[in-house]
Amino acid sequence: MFVCSCFGVTEEQVRGHAAAGACTPRQIASACKAGTDCGGCVRRIQALLGRGSCPRRQLVDQGGQPLAAELPEAA
């Protein structure tokens, strides 16, 4: 089923991008443009991503360090 009719993005494609690490609608938009035209699909994308489906979020919830914590501070 299509999620984004503006760019022809399907639920399967959104799930695939999510499995590859896209955790937010903005990251999905960067991967496939879904949600960047009329915006009518953003809520559906949010629903497909679900709450807590992000591996990085799970890492933080388990007490791990977020990826940004590994970056050196600017001099």
Side-chain angles (χ1 to χ4, degrees), residues 2-34:
F2 284 102
V3 172
C4 176
S5 57
C6 296
F7 293 104
V9 179
T10 65
E11 288 182 4
E12 187 68 28
Q13 288 172 304
V14 171
R15 288 188 184 107
H17 291 302
C23 301
T24 65
R26 183 172 288 180
Q27 291 171 338
I28 295 292
S30 293
C32 64
K33 295 187 180 181

Side-chain angles (χ1 to χ4, degrees), residues 9 11-12 14 20-21 32 37 42 47 51 57 66-68 71:
V9 179
E11 288 182 4
E12 187 68 28
V14 171
C32 64
D37 194 24
V42 174
R51 192 165 194 193
R57 179 75 246 166
L67 296 176
L71 298 175

